[in-house]
Amino acid sequence: LELIRQARPLDPHIQTIVITAADSLDMAISVLREGGVYDYLQKPFESIEQLILVVQRAVAHRQLLLEREALRRKAETDARRLKVLVSNVGEAILVVSEKGEIALANPAAEKMIGSAGVEGRQALEVLPPRLLRIVEDWQAHGSQSPIVLEIPWQGENIQMLSLTPI
């Protein structure tokens, strides 16, 4: 167990298989829980195929963990790039999650709604009532299709509003 604890920081995705002659179920459970062990085998093996199968599964599991981590890093990088791109667009862009939380608001959107630092807040708390009614009407009428509207905004200004399901 100590070897496994010291190996884990060197490779967080290491897959360890404990092979022992001890037949204690308590020890097996302890090793699996505490040590982050992938599997536990008792000697003698029924057949060498049993060991081969466990090793193959451990290798496949490690590969999945590495792929998941690579995809997570790519998604985080892509999200940062998108945020930079969106923040430099002149049109107001506001992304609201299915839970009603503002996931992204570029500076133009924050200016339009009159509030900065709105990401992570509920749209119901942040959006002006007139804009909120438009969004709610769009959602109520089957928000599966994008629409573009021109709406009067603050005096004589006309604001272009695009609603698109993502």
Side-chain angles (χ1 to χ4, degrees), residues 71-126:
L71 288 170
R72 184 177 294 129
R73 280 193 312 267
K74 183 179 180 341
E76 289 170 356
T77 299
D78 289 349
R80 282 192 303 272
R81 287 179 179 160
L82 179 61
K83 193 168 186 171
V84 168
L85 177 67
V86 167
S87 69
N88 289 299
V89 172
E91 290 82 18
I93 298 177
L94 184 68
V95 178
V96 180
S97 73
E98 290 177 358
K99 296 177 184 176
E101 185 176 283
I102 296 177
L104 177 70
N106 71 348
E110 289 180 338
K111 182 179 178 186
M112 181 179 136
I113 61 177
S115 183
V118 296
E119 290 180 12
R121 294 180 56 196
Q122 288 293 312
L124 289 171
E125 299 169 0
V126 176

Side-chain angles (χ1 to χ4, degrees), residues 19-20 40-54:
I19 301 172
T20 183
Y40 178 93
L41 294 174
Q42 285 184 313
K43 292 190 281 186
F45 302 132
E46 293 175 18
S47 68
I48 193 67
E49 283 78 26
Q50 180 185 13
L51 177 61
I52 291 170
L53 180 63
V54 169

Side-chain angles (χ1 to χ4, degrees), residues 1-156:
L1 279 177
E2 185 58 31
L3 175 63
I4 294 167
R5 283 188 200 107
Q6 290 183 22
R8 178 99 29 223
L10 300 174
D11 181 355
H13 301 296
I14 192 168
Q15 300 301 301
T16 53
I17 301 167
V18 172
I19 301 172
T20 183
D23 61 355
S24 166
L25 184 60
D26 291 337
M27 181 179 173
I29 291 170
S30 172
V31 165
L32 290 170
R33 283 188 182 160
E34 290 179 37
V37 171
Y38 178 76
D39 209 341
Y40 178 93
L41 294 174
Q42 285 184 313
K43 292 190 281 186
F45 302 132
E46 293 175 18
S47 68
I48 193 67
E49 283 78 26
Q50 180 185 13
L51 177 61
I52 291 170
L53 180 63
V54 169
V55 170
Q56 287 173 338
R57 286 194 337 241
V59 168
H61 186 254
R62 175 185 171 86
Q63 188 62 36
L64 286 173
L65 291 173
L66 292 171
E67 288 175 16
R68 182 179 70 183
E69 186 175 295
L71 288 170
R72 184 177 294 129
R73 280 193 312 267
K74 183 179 180 341
E76 289 170 356
T77 299
D78 289 349
R80 282 192 303 272
R81 287 179 179 160
L82 179 61
K83 193 168 186 171
V84 168
L85 177 67
V86 167
S87 69
N88 289 299
V89 172
E91 290 82 18
I93 298 177
L94 184 68
V95 178
V96 180
S97 73
E98 290 177 358
K99 296 177 184 176
E101 185 176 283
I102 296 177
L104 177 70
N106 71 348
E110 289 180 338
K111 182 179 178 186
M112 181 179 136
I113 61 177
S115 183
V118 296
E119 290 180 12
R121 294 180 56 196
Q122 288 293 312
L124 289 171
E125 299 169 0
V126 176
L127 295 180
R130 188 172 59 184
L131 185 56
L132 192 55
R133 275 193 309 278
I134 293 169
V135 172
E136 288 172 341
D137 287 346
W138 175 66
Q139 289 173 328
H141 290 89
S143 57
Q144 300 305 312
S145 301
I147 63 169
V148 178
L149 305 168
E150 288 184 352
I151 57 173
W153 201 259
Q154 297 179 349
E156 307 242 348

